[in-house]
Amino acid sequence: MPAIPKTGPSLFLGIELGVDQLRASIVDDSLDLVGVESVDFDSELPEYQTQGGIFTTPGEAYTTPIEMWLKGLDTLFEKLHRNYDLTKIKAIGGAAQHALVWWKSTTVPSFSSLDPRASLHSQFPAQIFSLPNTPIAQDTSSQTHGLAIEALLGGPDHMAARVGISANASMVAAQLLRVRETWPQEVWARTGRIQLASAFLASLIAGKWTNMGEAEACATGAWVHGANHNVHNSPHPAGQGYWDEDVLDIVGGSREEGRRVRGWLGDVDVSGGSRKVGNVSRYLVERYGFDAETVVAPFTSDFLASYLSLLPSSGDAVLSFGPIDTLLTPAQHYIPTRLYNLFPHPAQDTNEKRKYIAVLSSRNADVPRALVRDMYTKSWSAFDRLVAIVPPGGSIGLDDKLFSFWHLQPDAYPYARVKGIFRFETGIKVNEFRDLRANPRCLLESQILSFRVKWSRMIATGVLGSPRKTSLSPTPPPLSGRSSSGLSSLGLTFDPYDHTPLPTRVLATGAATNFPSMANLVGDIFNAPVFVPLTQIDSAQVVPHRNAPVQGYPSRVALGGAYVARWVWSREWGTGGLSVFEDEMKRLLGKRWVATGGVVLRTNVNGATSVIAPIAGGSGANSGTSTPYGHPGARSGLGSTVFVEEDEDEEVERERNLALGNPGVIGAGVYGTAFGENGQARLRTQTGSTAETLSSVTSSIIGPASAYTTPDLGLGNLGVMTGPGLAAGSANSNGNTGALTPTTPTPLTPVVAIATSDAEMQIGLAKVAESDIDSFMTYAAIVPEFSRLETMVVKGIV
């Protein structure tokens, strides 16, 4: 991009250390976007030979080189120095992916005495790290170690009551235990300190050792929060958090080693995130020209920073789609259970009432979505269309709904021991649906319904506080015919027809949100309007399916870091403002809205204006999520799990038939047939068991590591897929034989903004889907059966 004039108001910098990129966003004092920079690890640092910023190895291990981060940070600061007057940066905030930095006990250079004439990566060579390549959040190789810790603490209920979370592969305690038990002994022996990636990044910028915040400590599986009233006879003062010695002893293997691990972890910043961690380092001042008075705000985890950038209100749910799907919502009380994770709000004043964020998550997210796309369609556009035209539950019948559960990776409670693909028709487990076209919709429904059920179970604990929703839509039908005892017999502890405890709004981010069908599904299942950041809506017009921001567009994580920097700076300099982070950010944005006469926030630095009206499909015809399973070199690598899909114009014809109620199409009773151009019914082929062949399927697909974080990967001419009886040379739709002709997929047409109130527009949100009480009731009727089947899958009785 061309150099920006080095003039203007006070600026605030947010930095994100992502999996695939380092990203920076700059805002001014009214939070309007000023600049965006990024460093793509794969393309700009090819010497590390990562794909999507990671290495993939057998055993579900995903790692990334620390030295690459450092070299990327050098490159990022060089870009910032070239394009901006860094003396105008008043504060720096940021966030990082969930990963650990393992320092050796010797030869660790001092952050405060770095040579400004040399690059960071030359002063922190790979040899000073006891683990030069560290696991990232998507790594699940420590799942069994997490379950071992959980078992030794008495099970998921006891563990959650004690340290706030139950076992998961990402927690620091599990990763530490895995290194001690499976890596060579010298790795453990030569370690002198460990840091979370966020604290590591903050240390480099502040020029001193920086501790993790309490929100991140609560995700380690070894921290007892000060508000936890479940722990008795503690030697620590009431209300003070501390490292759980018993967990550390398990990790270390002895009391002595447990104390050593305690030293590695260091202290925890329990100030709430409202105070600076220091000023910018002498190194950055002398090498890149930062002002020595520049404030460094506390850094945090990427998903929390993204949450902060959306400024959610009480009653909102933040639904983020990606390699790991997460649903976050403000919580009023600290009530830890195995049903969710609970973290202190990472930006709150020490004098305000403690606030929390409840988090629900699913590892089986982008991976199943991309695999279903590969198995059953030829493009994201076709995937979206199939979701749109298939009826709720995969069938118009009331008693023959279809359900599928895709658990390709180990997950947290209650799916810790579930792995495989499970499909059900009329309540009976089947190897494959009679009509393969139902698979995309059933997958998305399963993913969102799972969050819907988890949400309702979470509400019952009281952790969120007061009731969530006022009468925004019609009152649900009376409970006649569905008494509490009847619901309980179905395994439900809540009334699925009652929408009042559900979110008032859903604020959605991530590539899957760009699907109109997904946005509508979320709105229908939660009976809530769906809002998406304008930055994402505009970015989606350029590349319709991509988690990483398009060039020139900011990431939500980096924006969250910049917002926190602005907030901390105003508090440090006593410039006024509100003590509650979200309230102060909304005040600044409201003030800007009035001053500009209602001009929306800038969404990019490319000069493109914000999209308020529909725009034609973008250029990402072949873009989309790639997975750890990769893209097969030939569709035949997927064996019998794929089928021939019609051209896009035939999809349109099918929609027309659906509208006319013609038989033989989806929604017309037993729909194992479709009609060809000559009007003759064409039978769909049956497929083999995907669940039973999962291991062989995935092993045939896994090749050299493919990017896990959804860069643009073309499908080339793999738009036509083959299956039994449908291979090249078999009869086609017209009864002729011969090779099937590949077709080029059309691009996904992403969501666009619909009528949105000023209150949302001024903070950079746009509505993309409305709530619909009739659609909600349709899904409410599905919830009991979904919950029953999900319980069967969890218990392994299918």
Side-chain angles (χ1 to χ4, degrees):
M1 58 170 286
I4 303 297
K6 297 185 176 183
T7 58
S10 300
L11 303 177
F12 302 88
L13 171 63
I15 297 177
E16 175 195 359
L17 173 54
V19 175
D20 57 339
Q21 292 181 340
L22 262 162
R23 306 180 183 105
S25 296
I26 302 175
V27 301
D28 62 20
D29 52 9
S30 65
L31 304 185
D32 214 352
L33 185 69
V34 172
V36 175
E37 297 290 349
S38 65
V39 177
D40 185 81
F41 293 137
D42 291 1
S43 61
E44 297 186 60
L45 301 174
E47 60 270 30
Y48 293 100
Q49 299 183 334
T50 59
Q51 291 186 317
I54 62 173
F55 300 131
T56 305
T57 55
E60 297 179 338
Y62 308 105
T63 62
T64 193
I66 303 298
E67 186 183 350
M68 183 180 71
W69 293 351
L70 290 157
K71 196 167 186 179
L73 200 58
D74 288 327
T75 306
L76 183 67
F77 278 124
E78 287 166 5
K79 291 184 178 184
L80 291 169
H81 176 62
R82 185 165 60 246
N83 294 324
Y84 303 92
D85 181 0
L86 298 184
T87 62
K88 296 189 178 298
I89 301 291
K90 300 302 181 183
I92 304 173
Q97 58 173 293
H98 181 84
L100 288 176
V101 176
W102 293 71
W103 296 97
K104 285 184 180 177
S105 56
T106 58
T107 69
V108 177
S110 170
F111 286 114
S112 61
S113 60
L114 295 176
D115 183 356
R117 296 167 297 181
S119 63
L120 286 173
H121 78 274
S122 67
Q123 300 181 71
F124 293 94
Q127 305 87 270
I128 70 172
F129 303 107
S130 53
L131 267 186
N133 299 333
T134 189
I136 62 169
Q138 284 78 30
D139 181 276
T140 56
S141 59
S142 58
Q143 174 81 1
T144 56
H145 300 86
L147 293 174
I149 294 172
E150 181 181 85
L152 290 170
L153 293 178
D157 288 312
H158 287 85
M159 181 176 180
R162 183 167 181 160
V163 295
I165 63 174
S166 55
N168 66 79
S170 295
M171 68 182 190
V172 169
Q175 295 187 8
L176 286 167
L177 182 58
R178 179 175 184 269
V179 168
R180 181 175 68 81
E181 291 190 341
T182 64
W183 283 78
Q185 187 175 1
E186 58 264 25
V187 173
W188 184 269
R190 68 194 180 199
T191 299
R193 183 155 187 165
I194 60 173
Q195 279 187 297
L196 286 171
S198 56
F200 172 67
L201 188 58
S203 298
L204 291 169
I205 293 172
K208 65 177 184 178
W209 286 101
T210 301
N211 297 318
M212 73 178 79
E214 191 172 19
E216 292 185 293
C218 287
T220 63
W223 177 259
V224 178
H225 182 51
N228 193 341
H229 302 296
N230 297 321
V231 180
H232 305 287
N233 303 320
S234 169
H236 302 273
Q240 177 179 308
Y242 57 90
W243 292 112
D244 190 307
E245 292 183 356
D246 290 340
V247 175
L248 298 183
D249 291 350
I250 294 171
V251 168
S254 68
R255 176 54 55 92
E256 181 181 358
E257 285 297 302
R259 289 172 178 166
R260 187 167 168 232
V261 173
R262 166 66 181 83
W264 293 354
L265 292 167
D267 295 329
V268 173
D269 180 2
V270 296
S271 66
S274 63
R275 302 298 303 273
K276 69 177 184 180
V277 299
N279 292 97
V280 72
S281 69
R282 179 184 61 85
Y283 175 86
L284 293 181
V285 170
E286 296 184 11
R287 185 172 176 87
Y288 297 111
F290 282 92
D291 186 336
E293 295 297 316
T294 299
V295 167
V296 179
F299 283 41
T300 190
S301 295
D302 51 4
F303 67 94
L304 294 177
S306 180
Y307 169 93
L308 294 178
S309 78
L310 296 169
L311 308 177
S313 302
S314 176
D316 288 344
V318 174
L319 185 52
S320 176
F321 296 101
I324 299 176
D325 287 348
T326 57
L327 190 150
L328 306 89
T329 188
Q332 296 184 21
H333 308 296
Y334 189 81
I335 306 175
T337 78
R338 64 184 179 180
L339 299 175
Y340 47 82
N341 292 335
L342 193 59
F343 306 128
H345 191 288
Q348 56 184 324
D349 186 82
T350 51
N351 297 319
E352 68 173 303
K353 183 180 181 295
R354 296 287 278 176
K355 298 182 299 183
Y356 300 92
I357 301 173
V359 181
L360 304 171
S361 65
S362 171
R363 288 185 177 275
N364 292 283
D366 271 350
V367 172
R369 287 191 287 266
L371 196 57
V372 167
R373 175 204 61 186
D374 288 349
M375 292 168 66
Y376 300 103
T377 73
K378 62 188 175 184
S379 67
W380 283 122
S381 177
F383 181 101
D384 182 68
R385 284 190 187 217
L386 281 180
V387 176
I389 65 175
V390 171
S395 167
I396 61 172
L398 296 178
D399 300 319
D400 58 353
K401 297 301 183 184
L402 313 179
F403 299 88
S404 66
F405 302 87
W406 290 69
H407 291 276
L408 306 181
Q409 294 180 290
D411 214 334
Y413 176 88
Y415 315 108
R417 293 176 173 83
V418 177
K419 196 166 185 181
I421 303 171
F422 308 88
R423 298 181 183 85
F424 298 88
E425 284 199 48
T426 61
I428 300 172
K429 184 176 181 294
V430 296
N431 291 333
E432 179 58 88
F433 295 138
R434 287 174 290 171
D435 193 308
L436 306 182
R437 294 167 294 179
N439 276 283
R441 185 177 188 101
C442 288
L443 167 67
L444 297 191
E445 287 181 342
S446 175
Q447 291 178 328
I448 305 305
L449 282 169
S450 181
F451 277 126
R452 156 79 169 94
V453 172
K454 289 178 182 177
W455 176 281
S456 295
R457 290 170 177 162
M458 175 176 65
I459 283 284
T461 68
V463 67
L464 302 188
S466 57
R468 312 292 292 176
K469 183 182 290 187
T470 56
S471 55
L472 298 177
S473 50
T475 305
L479 284 171
S480 58
R482 47 187 177 92
S483 64
S484 59
S485 59
L487 293 170
S488 178
S489 67
L490 293 173
L492 293 181
T493 57
F494 60 92
D495 181 359
Y497 293 90
D498 183 7
H499 58 78
T500 55
L502 296 177
T504 304
R505 302 184 303 177
V506 176
L507 314 182
T509 65
T513 310
N514 295 337
F515 293 18
S517 59
M518 175 66 97
N520 289 327
L521 263 180
V522 172
D524 292 345
I525 291 175
F526 280 98
N527 192 43
V530 180
F531 293 84
V532 173
L534 280 170
T535 53
Q536 178 170 328
I537 291 179
D538 286 358
S539 176
Q541 311 309 313
V542 181
V543 180
H545 189 279
R546 177 185 168 98
N547 280 330
V550 176
Q551 188 71 29
Y553 288 79
S555 78
R556 300 310 306 181
V557 176
L559 279 180
Y563 286 9
V564 172
R566 174 68 174 86
W567 181 65
V568 170
W569 175 79
S570 67
R571 300 180 63 72
E572 288 293 326
W573 287 91
T575 58
L578 304 176
S579 61
V580 177
F581 169 78
E582 287 85 357
D583 291 349
E584 172 62 4
M585 296 300 101
K586 289 176 182 177
R587 183 188 73 84
L588 292 172
L589 291 168
K591 181 179 176 182
R592 177 202 162 278
W593 182 262
V594 172
T596 61
V599 176
V600 297
L601 287 163
R602 288 185 65 186
T603 61
N604 61 82
V605 293
N606 291 332
T609 56
S610 187
V611 177
I612 308 298
I615 278 186
S619 60
N622 297 322
S623 66
T625 306
S626 62
T627 76
Y629 304 107
H631 289 284
R635 290 298 175 174
S636 57
L638 286 171
S640 61
T641 60
V642 294
F643 69 99
V644 173
E645 183 174 338
E646 294 81 2
D647 293 335
E648 293 296 334
D649 53 353
E650 188 173 341
E651 292 283 1
V652 174
E653 181 65 25
R654 185 184 298 114
E655 291 186 56
R656 186 179 300 113
N657 288 338
L658 177 63
L660 295 174
N662 291 343
V665 297
I666 294 179
V670 179
Y671 51 91
T673 62
F675 281 78
E677 294 178 0
N678 57 6
Q680 297 300 311
R682 179 177 56 219
L683 292 177
R684 289 293 184 185
T685 60
Q686 298 295 324
T687 68
S689 170
T690 330
E692 295 170 359
T693 62
L694 176 65
S695 59
S696 61
V697 169
T698 55
S699 63
S700 69
I701 300 175
I702 294 176
S706 63
Y708 196 69
T709 53
T710 64
D712 297 334
L713 288 184
L715 294 178
N717 291 324
L718 301 180
V720 177
M721 298 178 254
T722 60
L726 293 170
S730 62
N732 60 22
S733 60
N734 296 317
N736 300 323
T737 59
L740 295 169
T741 304
T743 58
T744 302
T746 57
L748 170 71
T749 301
V751 294
V752 294
I754 59 177
T756 305
S757 70
D758 286 356
E760 277 88 14
M761 289 296 292
Q762 67 183 261
I763 63 174
L765 297 174
K767 186 185 293 185
V768 297
E770 289 279 11
S771 60
D772 183 275
I773 190 65
D774 293 329
S775 298
F776 168 75
M777 290 300 171
T778 298
Y779 280 107
I782 293 175
V783 167
E785 179 67 358
F786 172 86
S787 182
R788 183 185 74 85
L789 296 174
E790 186 179 48
T791 300
M792 292 173 60
V793 169
V794 168
K795 292 183 177 180
I797 55 177
V798 294

